């Protein structure tokens, strides 16, 4: 189980928290940062660690306010969230969101499951998870090309948490945000699509070519050539979310690009993405992004998103 629930040894001078537990392969090692939340940090990391679980080990996590991100290094694990079950292989990252009840364990038949992890407070992080499209994602399958960089971010955070250099909390926050951004890109980029099963590839290609439509799950299952139940199972296993959640997030991602890079009216953007009216679009956008389309556009333009020159200013 994670070291959060193991006997602790604190170095009062350095403020480090070090917990160790024996497994069939070694120890759990972790470093505490600070148990006082800092609301000024975008991502407030408070524990970084690594662990090696033996055969048959598991942990039932009860809802808490903290979030957790873990990267599988070796072996195989299983993550159970509600009625969904995800197999975790080397290179897989799983995200534990605030107030979520789940169970994770070494996979049946596996002798070891080793991983690195970070824990951070909710608050600002929940907003960022929404903005990056990760709040509904349980598992990210990291591509081979991106894995070294993501692994390096975890390693960097381990060193920072252990040595606590000057302004270490700010440096941890920067590394953690870079990690979340990299994971967001993995769920959207071509590298992630390259390993998609054919049944998912057909649906993804259709949806992105017909963003002006609102296809039903039945329609998409027909395109995929399988039942709606099996299609949802495929999407849950590959993306960590249902087909409906994936379609919504894909539309909102395109909406963000249009809001940042064009001066098209918000109502026109809503219509181009298949929403019946601007009110419904705004409601969905705010639920996913935690801000309105108008405010998102204003903030994006103030940061210079590269709106095409000469585009008419017709925002409503």
């Amino acid at each position: 189980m994670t070291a959060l629930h193991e006997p602790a040894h604190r170095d009062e001078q350095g403020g480090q928290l070090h917990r160790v537990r024996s497994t069939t392969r070694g120890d759990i090692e972790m470093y505490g940062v600070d148990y006082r939340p800092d609301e000024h940090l975008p991502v407030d990391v408070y524990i970084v660690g690594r662990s090696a679980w033996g055969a048959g080990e598991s942990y039932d996590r009860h809802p808490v306010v903290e979030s957790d991100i873990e990267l599988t290094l070796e072996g195989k694990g299983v993550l159970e969230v509600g009625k969904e079950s995800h197999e975790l292989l080397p290179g897989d990252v799983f995200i534990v969101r605030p107030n979520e009840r789940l169970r994770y364990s070494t996979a049946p038949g596996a002798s070891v499951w080793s991983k690195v992890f970070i824990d951070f407070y909710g608050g600002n992080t929940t907003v960022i998870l929404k903005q990056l499209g990760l709040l509904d994602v349980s598992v990210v399958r990291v591509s081979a090309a991106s894995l070294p960089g993501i692994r390096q971010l975890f390693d960097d955070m381990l060193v920072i948490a252990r040595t606590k250099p000057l302004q270490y909390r700010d440096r941890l926050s920067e590394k953690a945000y870079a990690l979340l951004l990299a994971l967001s890109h993995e769920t959207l980029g071509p590298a992630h699509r390259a390993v998609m099963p054919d049944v998912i590839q057909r649906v993804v290609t259709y949806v992105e070519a017909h963003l002006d439509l609102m296809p039903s799950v039945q329609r998409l299952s027909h395109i995929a050539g399988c039942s709606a139940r099996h299609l949802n199972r495929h999407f849950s296993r590959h993306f960590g979310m249902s087909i409906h959640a994936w379609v919504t997030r894909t539309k909102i991602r395109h909406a963000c690009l249009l809001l940042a890079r064009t001066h098209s009216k918000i109502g026109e953007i809503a219509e181009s993405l298949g929403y019946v009216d601007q009110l419904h679009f705004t409601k969905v956008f705010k639920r996913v992004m935690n801000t309105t389309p108008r405010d998102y556009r204003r903030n994006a333009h103030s940061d210079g998103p590269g709106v095409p020159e000469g585009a008419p200013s017709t925002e409503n």
Side-chain angles (χ1 to χ4, degrees), residues 67-186:
S67 298
D68 182 20
I69 295 181
E70 309 205 17
L71 167 66
T72 297
L73 301 176
E74 182 185 1
K76 187 185 299 184
V78 174
L79 172 68
E80 298 174 62
V81 186
K83 296 181 179 180
E84 299 179 356
S85 179
H86 305 277
E87 184 180 62
L88 301 167
L89 303 174
D92 286 351
V93 172
F94 69 92
I95 302 173
V96 178
R97 296 171 290 271
N99 303 314
E100 190 168 49
R101 182 185 298 273
L102 50 80
R103 174 185 176 87
Y104 48 102
S105 59
T106 304
S111 60
V112 66
W113 181 29
S114 63
K115 47 199 172 66
V116 288
F117 58 88
I118 62 170
D119 288 9
F120 41 85
Y121 293 108
N124 293 340
T125 305
T126 302
V127 174
I128 291 174
L129 288 173
K130 274 191 174 183
Q131 292 174 340
L132 295 179
L134 293 171
L135 196 60
D136 296 322
V137 177
S138 296
V139 178
V140 179
R141 304 205 182 282
V142 179
S143 64
S146 301
L147 184 57
I150 287 177
R151 172 66 188 274
Q152 187 62 54
L153 287 170
F154 276 102
D155 289 345
D156 290 346
M157 285 186 281
L158 270 169
V159 172
I160 294 170
R162 184 175 66 247
T163 60
K164 292 184 171 56
L166 188 65
Q167 296 182 324
Y168 67 92
R169 293 192 72 181
D170 296 88
R171 294 174 64 177
L172 279 172
S173 182
E174 291 172 2
K175 293 289 184 181
Y177 186 83
L179 172 65
L180 293 175
L181 193 60
L183 294 176
S184 177
H185 288 165
E186 282 297 291

